[in-house]
Amino acid sequence: MKELVESGGGSVQSGGSLTLSCVGSGWNIGGYSMAWFRQAPEKEREGVAMIDLDGDIAYADSVKDRFIISRNDAKHTVYLVMNNLKPEDTGRYYCAADQRWWPGRTGLKEREYNYWGQGTQVTVSS
């Protein structure tokens, strides 16, 4: 069974930093596009950052120049370094994976991923 396990969430003050990790437990993520999503209370889940199996990367405009996504396939792990955090970054952060590709795929839409972790909570106070 493919399982994604997130960690690294927590509570920080505005301007602080956190690093999230997502481990593919029991499977090799090397052939998968990976992404981070987040969901704030009473809001839809939104794509934050993605990295595909070729290393191409995309970010949501709201996190560009503040967040960095990377992957270490040998460790079956994807990371999200979050700098200069803002209260609006508060939410539950989810890791996602998928092998599919099609023209026009953005990598930042929920419907583009079949495998999801349980999430880790990030809370940023002002």
Side-chain angles (χ1 to χ4, degrees), residues 58-77:
Y59 296 99
D61 288 343
S62 59
V63 306
K64 277 180 183 176
D65 301 323
R66 298 190 298 122
F67 290 11
I68 302 171
I69 189 172
S70 62
R71 64 191 297 162
N72 184 330
D73 291 344
K75 293 186 177 181
H76 313 303
T77 303

Side-chain angles (χ1 to χ4, degrees), residues 25-37:
S25 177
W27 57 297
N28 183 1
I29 68 168
Y32 291 74
S33 293
M34 305 295 297
W36 287 95
F37 285 74

Side-chain angles (χ1 to χ4, degrees), residues 5-108:
V5 181
E6 303 97 333
S7 63
S11 297
V12 295
Q13 290 191 324
S14 183
S17 298
L18 284 172
T19 297
L20 306 183
S21 299
C22 168
V23 178
S25 177
W27 57 297
N28 183 1
I29 68 168
Y32 291 74
S33 293
M34 305 295 297
W36 287 95
F37 285 74
R38 68 186 179 191
Q39 187 167 20
E42 301 181 357
K43 291 190 176 180
E44 293 187 352
R45 193 174 297 188
E46 63 172 346
V48 174
M50 64 79 66
I51 181 167
D52 70 16
L53 64 164
D54 294 327
D56 291 334
I57 290 172
Y59 296 99
D61 288 343
S62 59
V63 306
K64 277 180 183 176
D65 301 323
R66 298 190 298 122
F67 290 11
I68 302 171
I69 189 172
S70 62
R71 64 191 297 162
N72 184 330
D73 291 344
K75 293 186 177 181
H76 313 303
T77 303
V78 177
Y79 305 95
L80 186 68
V81 176
M82 305 186 293
N83 298 312
N84 190 21
L85 283 161
K86 304 176 181 180
E88 52 264 42
D89 294 317
T90 294
R92 191 161 186 86
Y93 283 68
Y94 298 89
C95 179
D98 205 284
Q99 283 184 304
R100 300 171 296 165
W101 182 90
W102 59 86
R105 184 180 188 276
T106 69
L108 290 175

